[in-house]
Amino acid sequence: MTSEVKEIFSGDSPPAPPPLAATIRTPAPSMTRSMQLVAEAVAGDPAGCAALTVTGLAERTGTSEATVVRTARLLGYPGYRDLRLALAGLAAHQESGRAPAVTADIAVDDPIADVVAKLAYDEQQTLADTAAGLDTVQLGAAVAAASTARRIDVYGVGASSLVGQDLAQKLLRIGLIAHAHTDPHLAVTNAVQLRSGDVAIAITHSGSTGDVIEPLRVAFDHGATTIAITGRPDGPVTQYADHVLTTSTARESELRPAAMSSRTSQLLVVDCLFIGVAQRTYETAAPALAASYEALAHRHNPRTR
């Protein structure tokens, strides 16, 4: 095994992206059919593909070099060279009958120290991917709309509802009128009251959550400015969104459900949105935030009351 391959599996390097076979079982929503062909090829024959140049793999799969590179990046590797090294290492371990020493999947018998390291690395990658893919023009437009909104409604269910509540409470702390709706019926009945000058924000990683899409559609039909925070920029929710803020595609495993990675990505996006709004409304936001701190100070130190 070369020194480069050994480095991938050493304890001093960060965990590798998830096993290719596991990734193929849940292909990324943004993966085209051509990219799936590349991914399936490397998962099915890591040793054979590791011996191929980017041109060779493109010819083998009937795709293009650009498709091969994009697939490598979507699988979590900086480039095709990194994917080839990982494939060579994987092939070597398969031949020896030993499981890889480092993997982003969390096994049932992983020591807790490994769990911490793997989760920390994956969170970092999720944040980096989200930041790289976030459209700052769309973000700026969303910030502008929220900064002057008469009222802001946020819709989300499940893990996304927690992110929505986080955003709403932050906006409230700087003096804006914001409400997070987790009950789908209340979300729709509140959306009916929105109009031009209001903002509605839908948070759904899949982009197809009906309980989130419905209130956003109602808000859209009533003239509110609508924003979708989603991992699927081509999902159904975006047809009712004036502005789309894209989160990264989750890297998942059996013990790491989609809600974990999507939540990390969504939290970064809503924090960016909040900070942007706070910047634009600083003259009113700063005093409001100070007042909220003062109002809660006695709860942190009862003796000062």
Side-chain angles (χ1 to χ4, degrees), residues 48-239:
C49 291
L52 299 174
T53 63
V54 64
T55 303
L57 183 55
E59 292 177 349
R60 174 171 173 171
T61 56
T63 61
S64 66
E65 295 179 6
T67 297
V68 171
V69 173
R70 284 197 296 269
T71 304
R73 290 175 178 169
L74 194 59
L75 290 173
Y77 298 89
Y80 180 62
R81 174 181 175 276
D82 303 274
L83 175 59
R84 285 185 70 187
L85 289 173
L87 289 172
L90 177 61
H93 279 280
Q94 287 178 341
E95 290 175 1
S96 66
R98 292 181 287 112
V102 177
T103 169
D105 271 349
I106 298 175
V108 294
D109 56 351
D110 271 348
I112 194 63
D114 289 355
V115 171
V116 172
K118 292 174 184 180
L119 283 176
Y121 178 73
D122 198 58
E123 299 286 308
Q124 293 170 8
Q125 288 299 111
T126 297
L127 292 173
D129 291 347
T130 301
L134 189 58
D135 187 330
T136 54
V137 173
Q138 289 285 302
L139 177 61
V143 165
S147 299
T148 58
R150 179 186 69 94
R151 166 180 159 186
I152 301 171
D153 277 14
V154 187
Y155 315 125
V157 297
S160 295
S161 73
L162 302 177
V163 177
Q165 292 174 53
D166 179 76
L167 174 60
Q169 68 90 11
K170 282 185 169 72
L171 295 174
L172 284 169
R173 292 285 294 274
I174 61 173
L176 299 183
I177 305 301
H179 302 284
H181 300 286
T182 59
D183 184 292
H185 293 173
L186 289 177
V188 172
T189 56
N190 276 272
V192 171
Q193 307 302 322
L194 299 182
R195 59 180 184 271
S196 178
D198 296 328
V199 167
I201 302 173
I203 305 176
T204 164
H205 179 67
S206 68
S208 58
T209 307
D211 287 342
V212 174
I213 295 175
E214 181 61 12
L216 191 74
R217 181 192 65 77
V218 173
F220 181 83
D221 290 344
H222 282 75
T225 298
T226 52
I227 300 167
I229 299 176
T230 179
R232 287 288 303 271
D234 58 344
V237 71
T238 60
Q239 64 183 309

